[in-house]
Amino acid sequence: MSDDLEPVEAELVDDHLPAIPENRTPAVPAADADPDAWLSDQAREDLQAGIPEGTGDAYEGDMLRFAQWCVSVKRRPMPAAAQTVTEYLSYLKRTPRPRTGRPYSPNSMDRIIAAIRSSHRAAGVKPPDTMGARKVVVGYRMELSLAKDPAAKPRKATPADRAVLQHALGKLDRTTLVGMRDAAVMLLGHAVASRGSELQLLDWPGSFTPLPDDGGLRATVYRKKRKKWQDVDIPLDPDPELCAVRAVRALAAGLAENGHTDGPLFVRMDKHGYLNPPMTRYGEPIGDPAGRMTVESLSDIIQRSIERTGLPGRWRSHSTRRGFVKSGRKAGADLVRLGRHGGWEDNSKALIGYVEEEDAGGELNPLAQIGRRAVKSQDGDDG
């Protein structure tokens, strides 16, 4: 799975439940014994449509690599034995990947287990018991943690808050169409706290309506994790250089001058600003016919733009979403309003996690706040 993709959601199954003894009769008959256990072609298509593209691609690659390994060691990939999956995870723990020179991380191994189980279900085959494989991952994560290996920690995007964006925008030539696009990607991603997959889907003018009072815009964003549309109000920013509304309108005007007046807001272009340049693989055209950019391309823009500043970090499309939380906390914004603006549920653990990380450092650190309050109290007593 590309690092540009957001973390893949594992299948909705609790593998920590006690294993069912092999000699116990299941409450539901196996598929080959159940006359209703079949799907029409239309239902299969509908089921596939409900699987996010990144998830499906990642799972398919994971299962393909598992099957190739099974062939190399003369084991059966499907239906796989529980011991086969355990052996495979043990192999992955010890085997460096050609691309990185390191074994898979524990988080990636969790995804691989989910991919194997999902592939079995998709084929109508009972998934293998993965308790042993998960214990391998638990032990591996503990080993890495004790060794203080960075691989034990999830690879999170670094927050790109308002200050980071200001540095990055200062390195862009915003008189060019490419510069206009890159500025709009960063500022709009921050303004609506979007994932890359949500930013990718925005159209001009279809996804936007003017705000009646202050000249801002209302963006209609599809929140993929919640599977619902949300209207997000984007007022004009007091600083024109950091204004997402002005950046979007500048990009739309530049696209219109080049004949693109309707469709994807973020369009594939070459360094000269030529829109939707042809792309081929093995002589066959690839890419969205309308030029809509991929999530990976949007991540590349953010990474490239911020890395020009020399600021250290892991800059991806998720950086602007995390940066929105950081900017909001610095400004003293209400946490509930922050969450609702960014499309989080009111009880979102992910949002709370972002907030806890931000509060651990700088002026928001609880100990720093306690110290300031103590000094203030002491000064008051001395007075």
Side-chain angles (χ1 to χ4, degrees):
M1 180 177 70
S2 167
D3 287 339
D4 304 323
L5 295 174
E6 295 177 41
V8 176
E9 292 182 41
E11 53 187 345
L12 301 177
V13 63
D14 186 359
D15 283 315
H16 300 288
L17 294 173
I20 298 175
E22 292 297 328
N23 60 356
R24 176 176 165 185
T25 304
V28 179
D32 57 0
D34 187 349
D36 287 341
W38 63 279
L39 289 174
S40 65
D41 292 341
Q42 294 92 331
R44 289 184 184 278
E45 291 177 7
D46 292 340
L47 177 63
Q48 186 64 35
I51 301 174
E53 182 179 351
T55 302
D57 291 346
Y59 277 17
E60 183 177 352
D62 289 335
M63 187 60 193
L64 176 61
R65 286 183 285 273
F66 172 63
Q68 291 171 339
W69 174 84
C70 286
V71 171
S72 70
V73 297
K74 296 181 172 57
R75 287 178 178 258
R76 185 183 65 243
M78 189 178 290
Q83 293 82 355
T84 296
V85 184
T86 302
E87 193 72 32
Y88 181 57
L89 270 293
S90 178
Y91 161 80
L92 293 181
K93 168 186 170 182
R94 292 173 169 80
T95 307
R97 300 170 65 191
R99 186 172 66 86
T100 63
R102 290 179 57 89
Y104 278 101
S105 70
N107 285 351
S108 293
M109 290 167 70
D110 282 337
R111 188 197 71 232
I112 290 167
I113 293 172
I116 293 170
R117 291 178 60 85
S118 292
S119 297
H120 277 68
R121 281 195 169 88
V125 178
K126 180 182 177 181
D129 183 344
T130 54
M131 185 68 72
R134 292 193 184 279
K135 286 181 178 178
V136 170
V137 179
V138 169
Y140 181 36
R141 184 176 278 113
M142 188 179 301
E143 288 177 23
L144 293 175
S145 297
L146 292 174
K148 298 181 180 180
D149 192 310
K153 297 181 179 179
R155 297 189 68 204
K156 296 181 179 180
T158 307
D161 64 357
R162 190 178 174 90
V164 170
L165 295 181
Q166 189 170 31
H167 282 298
L169 291 166
K171 301 291 185 180
L172 285 181
D173 181 1
R174 296 172 71 171
T175 64
T176 67
L177 190 57
V178 171
M180 294 176 191
R181 180 200 63 189
D182 293 359
V185 166
M186 290 189 287
L187 288 171
L188 188 59
H190 180 270
V192 301
S194 67
R195 301 173 177 86
S197 56
E198 297 166 353
L199 200 64
Q200 173 201 27
L201 298 178
L202 295 175
D203 291 332
W204 182 268
S207 299
F208 299 88
T209 53
L211 290 177
D213 297 329
D214 71 348
L217 290 171
R218 175 170 292 156
T220 302
V221 182
Y222 184 67
R223 299 297 188 186
K224 283 204 163 186
K225 287 289 180 71
R226 297 181 67 185
K227 297 178 175 58
K228 63 186 295 185
W229 292 95
Q230 179 191 0
D231 289 333
V232 184
D233 287 359
I234 314 169
L236 290 172
D237 194 283
D239 186 340
E241 296 301 310
L242 292 171
C243 182
V245 172
R246 293 182 177 93
V248 167
R249 286 185 171 140
L251 173 59
L255 291 173
E257 290 178 4
N258 286 270
H260 183 83
T261 58
D262 186 77
L265 175 62
F266 297 118
V267 184
R268 192 171 67 246
M269 61 182 74
D270 63 19
K271 63 181 180 180
H272 305 294
Y274 179 76
L275 300 185
N276 198 11
M279 294 170 43
T280 60
R281 180 180 296 151
Y282 307 121
E284 296 293 327
I286 60 173
D288 185 88
R292 189 181 302 277
M293 297 183 69
T294 64
V295 176
E296 291 91 337
S297 298
L298 293 171
S299 271
D300 289 343
I301 286 174
I302 292 172
Q303 179 180 4
R304 183 172 60 245
S305 299
I306 301 179
E307 284 184 347
R308 289 195 193 104
T309 68
L311 293 171
R314 183 173 183 265
W315 309 107
R316 311 305 302 155
S317 61
H318 217 67
S319 292
T320 53
R321 180 167 170 83
R322 300 196 68 192
F324 165 78
V325 177
K326 185 172 182 177
S327 298
R329 292 290 290 164
K330 282 184 176 180
D334 178 77
L335 180 58
V336 173
R337 289 193 174 94
L338 271 177
R340 291 176 180 174
H341 181 94
W344 283 279
E345 297 280 3
D346 285 351
N347 59 350
S348 169
K349 292 182 180 179
L351 176 59
I352 295 300
Y354 293 168
V355 170
E356 287 175 350
E357 290 173 15
E358 295 309 325
D359 286 359
E363 294 184 356
L364 295 176
N365 180 282
L367 284 177
Q369 292 177 328
I370 291 169
R372 288 196 300 271
R373 177 61 63 87
V375 170
K376 185 176 180 180
S377 299
Q378 185 177 10
D379 290 344
D381 292 341
D382 292 342

